[in-house]
Amino acid sequence: IKNKPEKKVRVKKIIKPKVKIENVKASIILCRKVSKKTGKPIGADTTFTIKDSANVKAVVSIEKQDIKTNEQMKFYFDWIGPDGKSFYKKSVVYTTSNPLFTISNSISITPEKRQPGTYTLQVIFRKKIIAEQKFELTVQGKPDSLDSRN
């Protein structure tokens, strides 16, 4: 038996980049519209009815400590359909010095554009999903316990 030359095992040192992990908290409220007076969501829900000229608006409250003055941040809204495929991506660049701020985006939920089902909205910052919210789109006039009151 030949002696195999010993393989030198090189231990690779994993050098962690000295990038501080971004401490970004985000929460999503989905609603029908936002009050022009107060900026507060109106009709906040996770189930919406598909109808003409209807929208789903996402209001995302973001908290980022240690924010720099006039820091420019790029967020992506990724709207995902019931098939699991992204159908609308929107980037929002926000410049602020305030650690608490709100960004928003919306999609149309007209019958021509949307099918009933479970949709997902993801908010992405620096390639990480910082918030995610599922919501249902339903068709109007379905015999539902809520609709059968009239």
Side-chain angles (χ1 to χ4, degrees):
I1 300 167
K2 283 182 186 161
N3 277 349
K4 286 184 181 161
E6 272 186 56
K7 281 184 184 155
K8 277 187 183 154
V9 178
R10 256 193 271 153
V11 178
K12 281 185 184 162
K13 273 189 187 156
I14 297 167
I15 298 164
K16 288 192 173 137
K18 284 183 184 159
V19 173
K20 209 164 42 183
I21 292 163
E22 292 294 332
N23 197 3
V24 177
K25 289 188 195 132
S27 61
I28 301 173
I29 295 174
L30 296 174
C31 56
R32 282 183 292 116
K33 59 184 181 193
V34 173
S35 163
K36 286 191 174 80
K37 270 188 196 161
T38 64
K40 296 267 185 285
I42 296 171
D45 207 340
T46 51
T47 303
F48 300 91
T49 304
I50 296 171
K51 55 181 184 249
D52 291 329
S53 73
N55 286 315
V56 171
K57 199 159 178 67
V59 179
V60 184
S61 303
I62 294 178
E63 181 182 338
K64 182 179 187 292
Q65 298 305 330
D66 58 280
I67 202 159
K68 295 167 194 70
T69 305
N70 294 328
E71 184 170 346
Q72 200 176 64
M73 289 170 283
K74 192 174 199 177
F75 298 92
Y76 287 94
F77 284 86
D78 193 359
W79 299 86
I80 299 158
D83 58 359
K85 291 190 176 86
S86 171
F87 62 86
Y88 180 55
K89 254 193 174 128
K90 170 85 172 126
S91 71
V92 174
V93 176
Y94 196 85
T95 305
T96 184
S97 312
N98 188 339
L100 295 167
F101 57 94
T102 305
I103 56 175
S104 62
N105 188 229
S106 63
I107 55 161
S108 143
I109 54 165
T110 59
E112 306 85 64
K113 290 194 169 179
R114 305 287 167 246
Q115 295 297 314
T118 303
Y119 290 71
T120 307
L121 167 64
Q122 293 179 339
V123 180
I124 298 158
F125 177 65
R126 300 215 170 141
K127 296 183 180 161
K128 286 193 189 75
I129 297 167
I130 57 168
E132 183 175 84
Q133 178 68 58
K134 288 193 180 333
F135 61 99
E136 290 287 326
L137 291 187
T138 58
V139 183
Q140 220 171 2
K142 199 166 60 171
D144 200 12
S145 58
L146 292 173
D147 293 336
S148 57
R149 279 188 302 213
N150 45 9

